[in-house]
Amino acid sequence: MTPRDDIEQHARVLGLRVRLGLVDLAAIERWADQAILADDGSHLELAELCLASRSGLRIAQARLDTLGGPATSGDLIRAISVVKVDSQSLDEVRRLADNLDPILKELDKAGDLPDMLQPALMFATDFWHARMQPDGSMEKVEAEVRELLHAVKEYAAEELNNAPTADAGVSGDAGVSAIVVSYRTGDVLFECLKALELDPAIDEIV
């Protein structure tokens, strides 16, 4: 994969993560600051994305969409693969299902929705119906969503990461592991970990 292709693929993945509520403007800026160094000058949107916090999330999303082009199911799987499934609350899982719904429908309409993701088409609706039922339906849907997210993460680790991807960094190098050494750090540690979790370039936190 060329640096140009890598930048465009990462833009698609990052754009999906914005739609899913998984990254913030600071993460977009960090990626754009890195990507612009590898760019050949053909991606003018990167300059604007370096200032994403000034333009706002909606404009940043539009620039990522222009830069990357239409997203694929592979991009979506890569986007979802960063979700820390076990640390998500029920509300966060439900919100993710809601955000995922229009993306899945777009891919389904384009004929690019793999069998693995087909069950996710019903998650938003299932959550809506479960709210009306006092019989533990909400927990059942939550368990189904978590199971699918785990399956997607395993698939991404085994299949998609065999080839260079947008998540491997702009230059196509190996993924980034962040090792945090802590001793009496107090609240600073939690701020650090939160920032690392939001950074799409970080594949692992130790």
Side-chain angles (χ1 to χ4, degrees), residues 47-115:
E48 293 182 64
L49 290 168
C50 287
L51 302 171
S53 60
R54 295 185 187 179
S55 58
L57 205 55
R58 184 175 296 178
I59 292 177
Q61 174 73 71
R63 296 296 175 268
L64 287 168
D65 291 346
T66 301
L67 176 56
T72 67
S73 58
D75 297 324
L76 180 58
I77 289 172
R78 290 183 181 97
I80 297 172
S81 70
V82 299
V83 176
K84 307 293 190 289
V85 181
D86 295 328
S87 65
Q88 299 285 301
S89 68
L90 170 58
D91 283 343
E92 288 170 329
V93 170
R94 183 182 53 76
R95 190 161 45 248
L96 179 60
D98 286 343
N99 292 339
L100 192 55
D101 190 59
I103 300 171
L104 292 169
K105 288 175 179 173
E106 289 168 13
L107 291 174
D108 191 40
K109 185 176 180 181
D112 186 29
L113 191 66
D115 292 341

Side-chain angles (χ1 to χ4, degrees), residues 161-174:
N161 290 336
N162 288 335
T165 70
D167 291 330
V170 173
S171 64
D173 296 331

Side-chain angles (χ1 to χ4, degrees), residues 140-152:
K140 181 176 180 289
V141 178
E142 177 191 6
E144 291 172 356
V145 175
R146 290 185 191 277
E147 183 179 352
L148 181 114
L149 291 174
H150 277 300
V152 167

Side-chain angles (χ1 to χ4, degrees), residues 107-143:
L107 291 174
D108 191 40
K109 185 176 180 181
D112 186 29
L113 191 66
D115 292 341
M116 171 186 286
L117 294 176
Q118 288 287 341
L121 277 169
M122 295 304 299
F123 285 156
T125 302
D126 289 345
F127 266 125
W128 187 83
H129 287 300
R131 280 181 232 171
M132 313 298 174
Q133 307 294 329
D135 59 356
S137 298
M138 188 74 80
E139 289 75 13
K140 181 176 180 289
V141 178
E142 177 191 6

